[in-house]
């Protein structure tokens, strides 16, 4: 079977409760880090990784996501008429064109969990393994996380590959954590995954974050997956069930990950990117908030 990853799934149908009231009318995935919405970073990462088909699993109340990712001919025409061709070009380059790009939207009408959201994409994916990108996990670095994961997947031998990072012991309870970990080339082979363990029960400190490359057998597993934590269909449960038969690996990406589903993570990401923006960096320095990029990363 091919190990070529052609499809990326973006689950964007969640309620975003941790960011209320900001997410009452604005989808969490459109919250900006500086001037760029989270979903744009995710789309750019997938494009940079050579993904052919993008499948968004959205909700009818979140139509603004579709409006953001697709080109807006009226807006770009008006910008050009006002002499802002450079802004119009930038918007056009960042957006999908309905004629040239392979983009699908499916609806998850009830937020039954991440696993259920991925299952909703089943009829729209191309043959072969699929990538899943959670836009609220922003991963910044010189090499895109998905691109480096795809390289590792295509040469590796596991069916499911999940992005992992080492976290301090007192944080393992916030993550899915790999068990039975053994290094094997560029990946960490694992025998399973434990969701949000207590520090004393954690089988490792290799925490799973929001990038996955999954064997297509994941869809059959999700069809029969019972609700788990929070009474939701959990993607991690279905991945863990396939660990024995398909092989499970962790990939230690080279970038820095920001949990933009939380206020602290969003602030951290904003500080990090503000250092690259001359006006914003000036503000940070004038307030004595950060004096260098390294300080921003450690904030
Ligand atoms: P999260 O659990 O971080 O998002 O899911 P959430 O549920 O929207 O946020 P909180 O916890 O209530 O604040 C990660 C990603 O999975 C999507 C979300 O939209 C987010 O992009 N998701 C989650 C779905 O598409 N459907 C779901 O049922 C759950």
């Amino acid at each position: 079977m091919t190990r070529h990853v052609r499809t990326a799934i973006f689950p964007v149908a969640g309620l975003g409760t941790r960011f209320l009231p900001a997410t009452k009318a604005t989808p969490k995935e459109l919250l900006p880090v500086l001037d760029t919405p989270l979903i744009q970073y995710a789309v750019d990462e997938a494009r940079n990784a050579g993904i052919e088909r993008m499948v968004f699993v959205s909700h009818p109340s979140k139509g603004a996501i579709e409006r953001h990712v697709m080109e807006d001919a009226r807006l770009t025409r008006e910008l050009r008429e006002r002499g802002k061709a450079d802004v119009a070009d930038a918007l056009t380059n960042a957006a999908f064109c309905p004629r040239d790009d392979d983009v699908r939207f499916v609806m998850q009408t009830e937020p039954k969990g991440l696993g259920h959201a991925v299952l909703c994409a089943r009829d729209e994916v191309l043959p072969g393994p699929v990538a899943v990108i959670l836009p609220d996990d922003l991963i910044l670095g010189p090499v895109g996380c998905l691109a480096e994961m795809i390289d590792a997947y295509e040469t590796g031998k596991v069916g499911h590959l999940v992005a992992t990072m080492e976290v301090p012991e007192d944080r393992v309870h916030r993550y899915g954590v790999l068990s039975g970990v053994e290094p094997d080339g560029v990946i960490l082979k694992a025998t399973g995954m434990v969701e949000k363990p207590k520090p004393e029960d954690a089988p490792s400190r290799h925490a799973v974050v929001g990038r996955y490359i999954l064997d297509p057998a994941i869809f059959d597993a999700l069809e029969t997956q019972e609700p788990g934590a929070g009474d939701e269909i959990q993607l991690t449960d279905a991945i863990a069930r396939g660990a024995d038969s398909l092989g499970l690996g962790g990939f230690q990406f080279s970038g820095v990950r920001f949990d933009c589903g939380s206020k602290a993570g969003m602030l951290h990401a904003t500080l990090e990117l503000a250092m690259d923006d001359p006006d914003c960096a000036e503000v940070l320095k004038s307030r004595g908030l950060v004096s260098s990029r390294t300080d921003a990363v450690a904030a």
Side-chain angles (χ1 to χ4, degrees):
M1 221 243 339
T2 174
R3 296 187 68 78
H4 185 44
V5 184
R6 302 172 63 197
T7 308
I9 300 171
F10 302 85
V12 294
L15 293 173
T17 55
R18 284 171 292 163
F19 255 111
L20 284 168
T23 46
K24 190 173 167 215
T26 305
K28 172 171 76 173
E29 298 77 10
L30 290 185
L31 296 181
V33 181
L34 286 191
D35 56 2
T36 303
L38 289 171
I39 192 70
Q40 187 70 54
Y41 292 100
V43 162
D44 292 348
E45 188 179 320
R47 277 182 149 168
N48 164 266
I51 292 295
E52 286 171 53
R53 176 174 294 179
M54 316 273 177
V55 182
F56 294 83
V57 182
S58 188
H59 183 272
S61 68
K62 297 176 90 173
I65 294 177
E66 183 164 349
R67 290 200 295 284
H68 175 79
V69 299
M70 299 309 292
E71 71 177 15
D72 182 338
R74 187 196 55 80
L75 176 60
T76 47
R77 193 174 53 247
E78 282 194 12
L79 285 167
R80 283 182 209 289
E81 281 166 13
R82 290 170 192 218
K84 297 195 168 178
D86 51 339
V87 183
D89 288 346
L91 285 183
T92 305
N93 289 339
F96 294 120
C97 161
R99 287 178 309 281
D100 303 336
D101 293 305
D102 189 354
V103 187
R104 315 281 164 115
F105 292 87
V106 293
M107 295 298 136
Q108 183 196 29
T109 49
E110 274 182 78
K112 294 186 190 168
L114 179 57
H116 180 258
V118 171
L119 182 58
C120 290
R122 180 174 203 164
D123 292 342
E124 300 294 339
V125 302
L126 294 167
V130 295
V132 177
I133 301 187
L134 306 191
D136 52 353
D137 265 343
L138 175 62
I139 301 181
L140 300 176
V143 185
C145 179
L146 189 60
E148 60 182 2
M149 267 180 97
I150 287 178
D151 280 349
Y153 186 84
E154 290 184 348
T155 55
K157 297 177 197 77
V158 293
H160 297 323
L161 187 65
V162 296
T164 56
M165 61 181 205
E166 279 198 73
V167 297
E169 198 178 285
D170 61 356
R171 302 240 174 124
V172 285
H173 66 283
R174 299 185 188 178
Y175 297 89
V177 171
L178 293 182
S179 59
V181 174
E182 269 194 36
D184 180 15
V186 293
I187 67 168
L188 296 169
K189 275 224 165 151
T191 54
M193 206 160 27
V194 179
E195 192 59 30
K196 300 189 171 67
K198 291 183 191 152
E200 59 273 25
D201 300 332
S204 79
R205 293 197 288 111
H206 296 288
V208 177
V209 303
R211 302 288 182 279
Y212 312 80
I213 297 178
L214 303 173
D215 185 279
I218 192 69
F219 294 113
D220 282 344
L222 286 168
E223 290 278 9
T224 56
Q225 186 60 50
E226 295 291 330
D231 209 25
E232 293 187 341
I233 310 279
Q234 297 289 347
L235 182 62
T236 48
D237 291 344
I239 294 174
R241 273 169 60 209
D244 275 352
S245 53
L246 300 164
L248 170 64
F251 178 77
Q252 294 175 291
F253 52 92
S254 60
V256 181
R257 174 258 189 182
F258 300 89
D259 174 12
C260 291
S262 74
K263 283 181 279 191
M266 185 63 115
L267 176 62
H268 194 167
T270 305
L271 286 172
E272 173 71 2
L273 287 176
M275 291 303 294
D276 288 335
D277 180 294
D279 290 342
C280 295
E282 208 46 52
V283 174
L284 295 180
K285 281 182 192 147
S286 73
R287 305 204 49 156
L289 287 174
V290 283
S291 56
S292 72
R293 163 169 288 275
T294 319
D295 291 347
V297 172

